[in-house]
Amino acid sequence: MKKAVFVYSPEQLGYKFSDTHPFNHKRLTLTMDLLKNIDALDDSDIVPARVATEEELLLAHDPKYIDIVKKAGHGELSEAQCESYGIGTEDTPIFENMHEASAQLVGGTLTAVDYVMEGKARHALNLGGGLHHGFRGRASGFCIYNDSTVAIRYLQEKYNARVLYVDTDAHHGDGVQWSFYEDPNVCTLSIHETGRYLFPGTGNITERGNGQGYGTSFNFPMDAFTEDESFLDIYKQSMREIFEFFKPDVVLTQNGADAHYFDPLTHLHGTMNIYREIPKLAHQLAHEYCDGKWIAVGGGGYDIWRVVPRAWAMLWLEMTDQTLPIGPLPQAWLDRWQPEAPVPLIPTWEDPSPLYEAIPRKAEIEEKNAQMLAKALHIIRNEKRD
Amino acid sequence: MIVEEIMNDAPYTLAPSNTVLEALKLMREKKVRHLPVVDEEQHVLGVITERDIKEVLPSSLQDEPNSPVFHAKVEDIMVKDPLIAHPLDFVEEVALTFYESKVGCLPIVSGGKLVGIVTTTDLLYTYIELTGATEPGSKIDIRVSDTPGILFEITKIFHQHHANVQSVLVYPDSENTQNKILSIRVKTLNPLVMIEDLRKEGFDVLWPNLPGVSL
Ligand SMILES: [Zn+2]
Ligand SMILES: [Zn+2]
């Protein structure tokens, strides 16, 4: 069995709204080129992303909505006609062949699922996926189809699996959470910047699931300006306790890389350090609890030059048991991309130190986050005591 | 918004001859802390609250059914002729009454009869609905001068970007009474372009920001 496969097809780059839109899959090219430059990704590791079938998309989406996406992408509908479906908006504009490109991202995640569940690889990565804001009948926040929701339903139907979904994107994983809000066999864990100011506004600790699914949704909203230590505290404690509580068969992690200080759309103050630690623990717990069954997808990440390639390279390196690098980035990579980058590239795997000015209310923010963590985990800590 | 839309229109009630023990039992069973006391024609005679009962109990040690207080009639300890409100009253008027009179509930009376009850909890929930986002959105805080037409100038910018405004709250500016703070929730993941345009038009965008921190 292979340690891990890297799912990718050049067609995934077709998911493109415009040249100026913040969601830019050029980050896939930048990440792969970085990995190839350090000889960490071989062509034999790469498997092509298949295209999700319409039947598979229906696991998570309304037929009417799929039809709208198809027509919009073939120039058959105006912006005004699709706006109520969240398409043709400033966040999610219409682009050519948007249905095909979106189905290709979903297919990539399904390819990853099949490799892991059929025992062809211990782990699998589809960086093109992770579109966690997509709803059943509506696009939202740059996301058309929700590949994680489709993949989890697919895991349930085809493999009868109990799935833990872990979302470390700086935005709340609302689309996936609402899909499984009443399902006791899917547990969602989202760590994000508080929705008090940030899109989508949800992800409060009080969102715990409903009906049969009560107690299988977990949210950890962190204050703006949260730094590495506090972020990792929350991540490590919540992961351990929720794995132990839920005992999943398989874990699907969404690895948005927008909690970094440089990210233009969020207000967290993470550094490259969190992107070294996040995959380490996910990897370890997947082996401890799920016989290694770990599927990982991408997600947000809007500083595609300085943050995403280094962060996502670390994810693949961890998955394939390669030593996480320190020191300078390959000069060839820097030379190749610097002319195109609008900002000076970071020349090392680590961020410069200090990366930003000290946060005046650091202690209070940490204290508030710690309180939040205790409240959010209270429900399972209590159960243990009984 | 009017009271009718937020009131509970099927409140539990007591008769004046009910005992304190019966009142307490009903409060615990139905998980309410206020009960209107009415006669057979549903005329409001008074209100009895959990707090009123606790106040007449000599001490918590006596909190057992053999204390004579439990067998007293509610009419003896209820608040007689309580403040009331009408179904057509505005919610903000009722809020002001709560704030000024420090009562926890208002029986709603129409045609001389009890038709509902509003508590401070109902009001708080209305407030949460008012400020809370039910749709995905980003929040932007802007300091503006308190002059006519300013809201138009701002919403024009959101309009140009096809962005849906989900809620607008206007706060007084604690630093300068000539200004107001607008807190706006917009249906977008990427508010940067709008913030840029707002700044270009000379608006003072406060968030993204925190006291003592510049971004
Ligand atoms: Zn995000
Ligand atoms: Zn492994």
Side-chain angles (χ1 to χ4, degrees), chain A residues 210-222:
Chain A
N210 200 17
Q212 294 275 301
Y214 184 81
T216 57
S217 291
F218 292 90
N219 284 294
F220 302 90
M222 299 176 291

Side-chain angles (χ1 to χ4, degrees), chain A residues 132-133 169-172 198 254 256-258 263 266 299-302, chain B residues 189:
Chain A
H132 61 169
H133 297 307
D169 192 282
H171 300 92
H172 176 224
L198 192 70
Q254 193 269 19
D258 51 5
D263 197 276
T266 68
Y302 307 101
Chain B
L189 193 156

Side-chain angles (χ1 to χ4, degrees), chain B residues 6-215:
Chain B
I6 70 162
M7 72 184 188
N8 169 5
D9 60 7
Y12 302 104
T13 59
L14 292 168
S17 57
N18 281 123
T19 63
V20 168
L21 186 62
E22 286 167 327
L24 261 184
K25 263 176 97 177
L26 186 62
M27 285 177 187
R28 284 185 188 155
E29 246 169 51
K30 306 298 181 192
K31 295 193 169 67
V32 295
R33 283 175 302 181
H34 315 88
L35 290 168
V37 181
V38 295
D39 65 14
E40 279 119 49
E41 277 92 44
Q42 294 290 305
H43 299 125
V44 176
L45 304 174
V47 163
I48 186 159
T49 71
E50 204 178 25
R51 210 178 54 194
D52 295 334
I53 296 176
K54 281 191 178 144
E55 269 171 21
V56 293
L57 285 171
S59 86
S60 60
L61 288 176
Q62 303 266 336
D63 194 358
E64 48 184 78
N66 53 17
S67 163
V69 178
F70 285 107
H71 303 291
K73 287 187 175 148
V74 294
E75 66 181 339
D76 295 332
I77 62 165
M78 70 185 184
V79 175
K80 294 188 178 84
D81 289 325
L83 289 172
I84 57 167
H86 191 270
L88 294 179
D89 282 349
F90 288 112
V91 170
E92 45 269 51
E93 281 175 65
V94 169
L96 204 59
T97 308
F98 278 129
Y99 182 74
E100 286 176 343
S101 64
K102 302 201 165 53
V103 296
C105 83
L106 287 173
I108 310 301
V109 174
S110 177
K113 292 180 180 182
L114 181 75
V115 293
I117 188 170
V118 166
T119 69
T120 47
T121 311
D122 300 326
L123 207 68
L124 192 62
Y125 184 72
T126 307
Y127 169 79
I128 292 168
E129 276 191 318
L130 202 70
T131 58
T134 50
E135 290 270 303
S138 300
K139 196 144 159 182
I140 303 172
D141 286 351
I142 312 160
R143 174 178 286 134
V144 297
S145 66
D146 189 7
T147 50
I150 212 87
L151 194 58
F152 172 74
E153 293 299 324
I154 283 176
T155 51
K156 204 169 70 185
I157 291 167
F158 295 123
H159 172 74
Q160 282 160 3
H161 288 281
H162 287 268
N164 242 340
V165 173
Q166 294 158 330
S167 71
V168 181
L169 295 172
V170 186
Y171 297 96
D173 182 356
S174 55
E175 284 169 24
N176 183 346
T177 53
Q178 307 289 305
N179 293 333
K180 284 270 164 68
I181 310 285
L182 293 182
S183 187
I184 299 178
R185 193 168 266 279
V186 192
K187 192 170 171 180
T188 180
L189 193 156
N190 177 23
L192 293 183
V193 276
M194 292 164 231
I195 291 170
E196 203 177 297
D197 281 2
L198 284 164
R199 291 203 162 121
K200 256 190 232 154
E201 297 288 323
F203 289 110
D204 184 9
V205 180
L206 300 174
W207 177 265
N209 213 336
L210 242 199
V213 179
S214 57
L215 270 182

Side-chain angles (χ1 to χ4, degrees), chain A residues 152-164:
Chain A
I152 294 169
R153 288 255 157 76
Y154 182 79
L155 276 162
Q156 291 186 297
E157 294 207 350
K158 188 165 172 194
Y159 300 104
N160 195 25
R162 213 172 137 74
V163 187
L164 173 62

